[in-house]
Amino acid sequence: MCRRRKNAIRRRNARRGSVYIAVLGTAMIVSVLGLSALMIQRIQRKADQQAAPVLPARLHADAALRIGMLMIPNDPGWRLSFSNGVCEAHVTLGRGHSTLGGLVRAPGHIAYG
């Protein structure tokens, strides 16, 4: 009888140790996931800070393209009016400016059309 009781106590202690290891493992996984999320946010913030000066330039370029796209339907002879080179120079938009230029392809050129 005494031997059975000792074996039962050993099994119970062994189970307690395995639960402790499982809890430690789970806590470690949760902490690694939390630290990973913090590092991802930090990297994203740095990328956003580096991209901040580029955003106004993109907006000005987009505005210049839209101005050019509006000019084409309003002028049926736009290929003659806007020859190769600068069409609109130093258009002020907010705190910046943009210049619209183009290249008119000749008939027979591979990119014509």
Side-chain angles (χ1 to χ4, degrees):
M1 284 286 205
C2 198
R3 190 180 279 172
R4 286 184 184 175
R5 190 171 186 179
K6 286 181 182 180
N7 287 338
I9 291 173
R10 284 182 189 157
R11 281 188 221 134
R12 187 174 53 195
N13 288 340
R15 277 188 247 134
R16 284 184 184 167
S18 63
V19 170
Y20 179 71
I21 290 174
V23 168
L24 279 179
T26 304
M28 200 159 71
I29 289 172
V30 168
S31 64
V32 166
L33 288 173
L35 289 174
S36 299
L38 288 174
M39 289 300 292
I40 288 171
Q41 287 298 320
R42 188 176 184 185
I43 291 169
Q44 184 68 38
R45 183 176 44 89
K46 282 185 180 182
D48 290 344
Q49 286 175 347
Q50 290 174 351
V54 176
L55 186 60
R58 285 185 184 172
L59 292 175
H60 286 105
D62 186 51
L65 285 173
R66 289 178 186 264
I67 289 171
M69 290 171 62
L70 288 172
M71 291 169 70
I72 289 173
N74 292 330
D75 187 2
W78 66 273
R79 286 185 187 260
L80 298 174
S81 300
F82 308 120
S83 61
N84 293 340
V86 176
C87 301
E88 292 288 322
H90 299 289
V91 177
T92 303
L93 302 166
R95 294 189 312 170
H97 68 274
S98 60
T99 300
L100 176 66
L103 177 65
V104 178
R105 303 278 183 187
H109 191 276
I110 229 170
Y112 183 76

